[in-house]
Amino acid sequence: MSNFGDDSENEMDRYAMDRPPSSYGSMQSDDHEDIEDDDFEEPVLKQETRVRLHRPDSPETAITERTNTNQSSIYTGGLVLRQPVMHIGESSVYSYGINREPSFVEPSELQSDIRTEAGIDEESNYRDVQEQQNDSAAVEVQEEQTEATTEEDDSDEIVVRYEVPKDPPPTPEEGLGLQFQHKHGSFTLRHVLTQMVRCLSQLHPGEIAYFKRCLSTHCRFRKNYSRIADLNDPLDLVDKLIEVSGMGEALHLTIRCLHNVGKDNLSVYLKKTCRRVVLQHDLKMAHDRRYYSLYEGRCRPGQQRYISDVYVEPVTVIRGNREPINLENEVQRIPYTIVETQIRAADIFRPLPQEQKPIRTVMMTGIPACGVTVAVNKFIIDWMEGKNNQDFQFVFPLPAKELHLGKDGDQSFLEMLGSFFAEADDINFIEKPDCLCLFIIDALELCKHNLDFKNNEVITSARTKAPLDALLTSLIKGTMLPYARVWITSHVSAAYRIPSQLIDRYVELRGFTDEKKEEYFTKRTTDPELGRKVYNHMKRSKALEIICHIPVFSWMVAFIFERGFRDPEYGKHPPGITAFYSQFIVVQMNRSFEKYRGCSVEAQKWKDEDKMFIEMMGKMSYRLILEGRDWFTVDDLSSVNLTYEDLRSRDELTTEVKRKSEDFRTWVFKFVHYTVQEYMAAMYVYVAFRKHGKNVIEPSKMSWFQGANKDRPVIDLYRPAIDRAVASPNGQLDMFLRFLVGLVTPGTEDNLRGYLLNHYHPKAKGTEEVLKHINKKLKENIHPDRKRNLEWCLVELEEGKKDEGR
């Protein structure tokens, strides 16, 4: 029974069902519904092949039911059977096309014959010559058939007949997405095992040895070669390959090694019969290389982390009428609440219990630095590792920033896909209803195409050539690839480029809750005790705890505190917050440069207009605080000589929260958190005094000669600022004052040098006077909340001095 024949259904079933299963269990199908062998097209060899199998421990070495009906004998060398022939590429065997089912011709009945080893040796020379002639003829026939194939032929895969099961799929658990539904027939273990065994059964014993030798030299299988070294039976060999490497990797290795041993016809046949499994495996390998690691914050060579080591799932909600900004505030004592419907990030395509229509197109938004792109990467990695959303046969990420880098001129969607994924060349089957794909368009705000949904040509076929803009709009509309799913991520402003009637679900990322913050701080370090120290130290500052709902801010805090705790004396006093906000502004500006300008050294340089943008945004923020507003419009930008384009190209600090019309002058914006607005205002007041010599708080007391005031003692600025903040009845200047006091210390001021201050700007004078004035106010009879805020101002002064020494 060494030869796996193609003569009958019963022979394959007997191999699959009666043979003692291995530890991997590859003899049992993953699908509950058996797939008949008639569903697959069988190649036919051109010469007779005799394969000797040594299986002394298997009951199959005895005279079997089939061979018992013929004349056979048992020799010391084993049982020798004559294998039927299969001709690959001949049109008389089978044909396939888009609108045609595969026609199958039953091969001749398996015949057994008793051969001595001497008789086999006498015929070996004749068979070798005959093999070469037959292989050459097979290649010629295959080439002629390929040339005769038209564009309408579905030549990218050999069609596997698949019927959708009638019974409803089981409901997956929460967090698994679209999963545990009925698997497509071509992805079942039985189908892949059958095709691999059929191909390897056509090899001589010498070719089997050559095949295994090719496996031993392959870098991905070298260390596991010893586990298959003694296996000669194709069924045993394939079974062990799948057990050791997994189904996709075993199929990839088999195709490669068949090609290396000169069996191109078998290699091509196996690739076409298992085309979807091959493509899925190649895509997963490509995704593994690209998305398995990430840079936290900014791209720093050598500082990437494995995404599974640092990723904590942020809060994901189905968007309602509430603004995306976290309104939690320390001074106003506004708690952090979520009133929308929460879902898991993996379940964004999963309909709610009351929803009957499938979710085809999802728009995910969030404030800058909330981790949208990282959530996409984690989604892809989880799909690659088989953890969730396994109903998607293929996942194609299409970064919006790179869509314009493809081929110029008209092209089909399949050609465009092939330019981004070399593995996806000529995959016409993605248009079929049984091929569920996911296309992810990440960072829509970076897309340079117009996305003209009104005037673009409507494309219905992935093979039709058209401008790329028309292909994208047709994909989103659903006129092209209607059975696919589309996931778009974007900042809120760019999300309006897609008509709302084309979006089935809007979701938002809201950042970390308190539980998620603790999980993040303890997960990202290899020392859980250090992570708990960092988290507990962060919680000592309520303002810091609130702003850490932004993942990027949590990374900054963890990065600095982890290094701070190397000093045994670190952490005795509550942490300051001003230095973190200074670094947050710099990091976010640099991230916007990377997005819109590139990653080159020249593109990363701060230009004069960038520095002016920060100062003018601070000036506007100061006005908003005095007016008691936390929002602004384009008219507010115009009042400080800024335009909407200035804001759009540096959009990592603000987000759009409301749009009533297409007129951009009516759009409403906010900073990513109100404390960021307060810091920007304090930074503007401080830089105006230190750099330009202007006292913004008391402009009436400014000297007519501004240059003489640049080196004035800072107490001239801080005395009126402290007095005004203490006199505030509602505490609207509390955080502003805390940031302003924190900026005067040398350690904190250094974060502004090279950006808003010169590198060699003289140090501030009169900081001791500021300390004395604060202590004086603490002794006065003031509101308890104002007194508590002045105590925090002293913490900022103390922490700033420590930062200078580190």
Side-chain angles (χ1 to χ4, degrees):
M1 296 304 300
S2 62
N3 224 357
F4 187 80
D6 299 317
D7 55 334
S8 71
E9 298 286 319
N10 295 331
E11 187 70 1
M12 178 61 208
D13 291 340
R14 189 159 54 81
Y15 269 104
M17 303 303 295
D18 296 341
R19 183 180 181 275
S22 67
S23 60
Y24 185 71
S26 59
M27 294 300 100
Q28 298 181 4
S29 172
D30 285 351
D31 200 353
H32 297 293
E33 187 171 329
D34 292 340
I35 300 177
E36 297 297 331
D37 288 349
D38 287 344
D39 293 347
F40 313 112
E41 301 173 7
E42 297 189 345
V44 183
L45 283 185
K46 288 190 171 182
Q47 87 282 346
E48 296 180 356
T49 305
R50 301 174 184 85
V51 182
R52 188 185 309 279
L53 174 63
H54 301 275
R55 299 175 63 182
D57 297 331
S58 174
E60 299 294 341
T61 56
I63 298 177
T64 61
E65 185 177 337
R66 177 176 295 280
T67 57
N68 194 33
T69 60
N70 302 306
Q71 183 181 1
S72 61
S73 301
I74 302 297
Y75 285 86
T76 306
L79 181 66
V80 180
L81 302 178
R82 176 175 298 168
Q83 176 75 5
V85 298
M86 294 193 303
H87 298 275
I88 295 180
E90 292 188 6
S91 59
S92 61
V93 179
Y94 57 79
S95 60
Y96 49 89
I98 291 181
N99 299 319
R100 301 193 299 273
E101 294 292 338
S103 58
F104 177 74
V105 177
E106 184 72 15
S108 60
E109 184 70 15
L110 180 66
Q111 299 177 359
S112 63
D113 191 10
I114 307 302
R115 303 275 181 172
T116 64
E117 294 185 18
I120 295 177
D121 293 335
E122 290 176 359
E123 295 181 359
S124 61
N125 294 333
Y126 170 77
R127 287 190 290 103
D128 291 340
V129 174
Q130 190 67 24
E131 275 181 5
Q132 295 179 1
Q133 296 176 354
N134 291 337
D135 288 344
S136 300
V139 171
E140 292 176 1
V141 172
Q142 187 175 8
E143 290 178 353
E144 293 175 1
Q145 187 180 17
T146 302
E147 293 175 358
T149 303
T150 61
E151 291 185 358
E152 288 75 23
D153 290 333
D154 192 8
S155 59
D156 51 350
E157 69 168 347
I158 294 178
V159 178
V160 177
R161 189 182 305 131
Y162 172 70
E163 296 181 0
V164 179
K166 297 180 180 179
D167 56 312
T171 302
E173 298 179 3
E174 183 180 354
L176 296 179
L178 300 179
Q179 189 161 324
F180 295 147
Q181 299 194 23
H182 301 293
K183 186 181 296 185
H184 189 276
S186 61
F187 287 94
T188 58
L189 180 62
R190 174 172 181 150
H191 169 64
V192 176
L193 177 76
T194 302
Q195 302 308 320
M196 291 177 64
V197 171
R198 282 176 176 171
C199 289
L200 292 187
S201 296
Q202 317 312 319
L203 302 182
H204 299 298
E207 292 171 336
I208 290 287
Y210 189 15
F211 175 84
K212 292 191 296 181
R213 191 156 54 247
C214 289
L215 283 175
S216 68
T217 60
H218 200 286
C219 61
R220 287 160 143 183
F221 197 79
R222 190 175 303 160
K223 64 180 181 180
N224 295 315
Y225 173 70
S226 60
R227 305 179 67 175
I228 64 155
D230 299 330
L231 300 179
N232 295 312
D233 176 30
L235 188 58
D236 286 336
L237 184 58
V238 171
D239 187 32
K240 185 59 68 173
L241 269 175
I242 296 178
E243 176 187 345
V244 172
S245 303
M247 185 172 67
E249 182 70 7
L251 183 61
H252 170 80
L253 292 173
T254 303
I255 293 174
R256 290 289 300 272
C257 292
L258 283 174
H259 172 75
N260 291 341
V261 301
K263 295 297 182 179
D264 291 343
N265 52 349
L266 293 177
S267 176
V268 172
Y269 169 79
L270 183 58
K271 185 175 181 178
K272 284 192 174 183
T273 53
C274 303
R275 183 70 175 92
R276 300 194 186 193
V277 181
V278 172
L279 174 60
Q280 186 186 83
H281 173 264
D282 292 343
L283 282 177
K284 288 184 175 182
M285 293 300 100
H287 295 342
D288 185 27
R289 293 189 297 269
R290 181 166 185 176
Y291 298 105
Y292 199 69
S293 60
L294 59 84
Y295 293 96
E296 293 184 285
R298 289 193 58 208
C299 177
R300 294 163 295 127
Q303 298 297 320
Q304 61 267 34
R305 301 284 304 274
Y306 289 123
I307 189 171
S308 299
D309 292 344
V310 298
Y311 179 79
V312 173
E313 182 180 330
V315 175
T316 306
V317 300
I318 298 178
R319 193 171 79 182
N321 298 323
R322 178 181 166 179
E323 297 176 358
I325 302 297
N326 178 12
L327 301 178
E328 188 176 10
N329 190 281
E330 176 186 7
V331 177
Q332 301 178 13
R333 294 181 174 85
I334 301 176
Y336 180 56
T337 58
I338 298 176
V339 296
E340 297 87 354
T341 303
Q342 293 191 52
I343 60 174
R344 298 288 300 277
D347 295 336
I348 57 176
F349 286 97
R350 183 175 173 178
L352 296 177
Q354 67 272 17
E355 295 177 337
Q356 302 297 327
K357 181 181 177 182
I359 306 298
R360 182 185 184 272
T361 307
V362 173
M363 172 68 74
M364 175 178 283
T365 59
I367 65 173
C370 71
V372 172
T373 298
V374 178
V376 171
N377 294 359
K378 180 60 175 175
F379 185 99
I380 295 173
I381 290 298
D382 286 344
W383 173 80
M384 183 204 74
E385 295 178 346
K387 294 180 180 179
N388 53 40
N389 285 286
Q390 293 304 290
D391 283 359
F392 291 125
Q393 297 178 16
F394 314 109
V395 175
F396 297 101
L398 300 174
K401 185 179 181 179
E402 303 173 5
L403 289 177
H404 69 284
L405 302 178
K407 184 177 68 174
D408 295 333
D410 293 355
Q411 57 184 322
S412 68
F413 187 80
L414 292 180
E415 292 175 344
M416 185 272 290
L417 206 59
S419 64
F420 283 94
F421 301 93
E423 306 85 358
D425 184 34
D426 192 19
I427 51 170
N428 300 325
F429 54 80
I430 69 170
E431 294 188 280
K432 298 179 181 179
D434 62 1
C435 185
L436 185 61
C437 304
L438 172 62
F439 297 94
I440 304 176
I441 303 177
D442 187 27
L444 184 66
E445 68 273 9
L446 302 179
C447 182
K448 296 184 178 181
H449 294 279
N450 295 328
L451 298 181
D452 189 352
F453 288 90
K454 294 182 179 180
N455 302 318
N456 276 347
E457 178 185 0
V458 177
I459 308 300
T460 58
S461 173
R463 310 182 195 185
T464 303
K465 292 188 176 182
L468 183 56
D469 193 65
L471 296 177
L472 292 176
T473 54
S474 299
L475 175 66
I476 297 173
K477 283 181 177 179
T479 59
M480 181 179 65
L481 302 178
Y483 302 102
R485 302 292 190 268
V486 181
W487 181 9
I488 306 171
T489 69
S490 173
H491 284 180
V492 178
S493 296
Y496 289 99
R497 299 178 63 183
I498 311 297
S500 59
Q501 63 268 22
L502 301 180
I503 305 298
D504 296 317
R505 173 178 287 176
Y506 286 91
V507 297
E508 285 182 356
L509 290 191
R510 290 290 174 83
F512 293 155
T513 58
D514 291 341
E515 295 77 12
K516 298 293 184 180
K517 296 171 191 175
E518 183 177 8
E519 180 183 355
Y520 174 78
F521 282 105
T522 55
K523 183 179 182 179
R524 72 179 309 276
T525 177
T526 56
D527 184 4
E529 184 63 29
L530 176 60
R532 282 188 288 269
K533 284 184 180 180
V534 171
Y535 176 70
N536 292 331
H537 188 54
M538 178 271 297
K539 287 187 65 177
R540 297 176 69 181
S541 172
K542 184 62 178 178
L544 204 57
E545 182 183 8
I546 292 174
I547 194 62
C548 278
H549 79 279
I550 301 177
V552 169
F553 215 102
S554 293
W555 159 72
M556 291 171 46
V557 173
F559 186 86
I560 293 175
F561 283 177
E562 286 172 6
R563 283 149 183 79
F565 275 105
R566 294 172 183 173
D567 181 4
E569 301 297 324
Y570 189 79
K572 291 185 177 181
H573 302 284
I577 62 174
T578 308
F580 289 109
Y581 279 81
S582 300
Q583 294 169 2
F584 179 75
I585 299 299
V586 173
V587 167
Q588 290 300 94
M589 287 293 292
N590 288 334
R591 292 182 62 184
S592 68
F593 298 160
E594 290 179 3
K595 287 173 55 176
Y596 294 103
R597 300 179 188 175
C599 298
S600 64
V601 176
E602 190 64 29
Q604 290 295 296
K605 290 182 178 179
W606 281 58
K607 302 177 182 179
D608 291 339
E609 51 266 31
D610 300 322
K611 301 175 183 179
M612 184 59 63
F613 172 80
I614 292 295
E615 288 191 38
M616 293 300 100
M617 288 295 289
K619 182 178 181 179
M620 182 189 69
S621 300
Y622 182 66
R623 293 179 179 177
L624 296 178
I625 289 178
L626 296 181
E627 296 175 7
R629 282 198 289 149
D630 63 349
W631 54 270
F632 62 93
T633 64
V634 176
D635 291 336
D636 295 311
L637 294 174
S638 301
S639 65
V640 292
N641 299 322
L642 293 177
T643 64
Y644 171 71
E645 185 61 29
D646 295 329
L647 183 69
R648 191 198 64 80
S649 60
R650 303 171 183 88
D651 58 356
E652 292 297 316
L653 296 174
T654 60
T655 184
E656 183 179 343
V657 295
K658 188 181 297 184
R659 178 180 296 194
K660 297 181 180 180
S661 66
E662 294 298 324
D663 186 3
F664 67 89
R665 290 174 296 182
T666 63
W667 301 348
V668 179
F669 304 88
K670 285 186 178 183
F671 286 90
V672 294
H673 194 261
Y674 185 62
T675 54
V676 176
Q677 175 180 322
E678 292 173 308
Y679 171 81
M680 294 288 288
M683 183 189 61
Y684 161 71
V685 172
Y686 182 77
V687 171
F689 185 85
R690 295 278 287 125
K691 184 178 180 180
H692 306 293
K694 296 193 298 185
N695 190 337
V696 179
I697 297 179
E698 288 186 341
S700 60
K701 296 184 179 181
M702 291 295 297
S703 173
W704 65 273
F705 182 57
Q706 299 292 337
N709 298 321
K710 290 184 179 180
D711 296 332
R712 281 194 308 169
V714 293
I715 188 62
D716 293 345
L717 172 68
Y718 282 87
R719 184 182 292 110
I722 294 173
D723 294 343
R724 184 173 298 186
V726 169
S728 175
N730 56 2
Q732 66 178 7
L733 297 178
D734 280 3
M735 291 300 298
F736 166 79
L737 179 62
R738 192 185 304 183
F739 288 128
L740 187 61
V741 173
L743 286 169
V744 75
T745 58
T748 308
E749 187 185 66
D750 288 344
N751 293 315
L752 302 180
R753 295 185 182 274
Y755 300 105
L756 300 181
L757 296 177
N758 296 329
H759 281 289
Y760 302 102
H761 199 82
K763 294 184 178 181
K765 298 179 181 179
T767 55
E768 295 298 329
E769 297 296 327
V770 176
L771 179 59
K772 292 179 181 179
H773 191 70
I774 294 177
N775 288 326
K776 178 184 176 181
K777 287 295 180 180
L778 286 172
K779 297 178 182 179
E780 297 179 359
N781 186 18
I782 59 177
H783 193 280
D785 292 339
R786 308 293 85 75
K787 184 176 182 178
R788 188 180 304 110
N789 187 67
L790 289 179
E791 293 173 350
W792 278 109
C793 291
L794 294 179
V795 171
E796 296 296 325
L797 284 174
E798 185 67 24
E799 287 298 305
K801 293 178 182 179
K802 293 181 179 180
D803 290 339
E804 182 183 12
R806 285 196 290 266

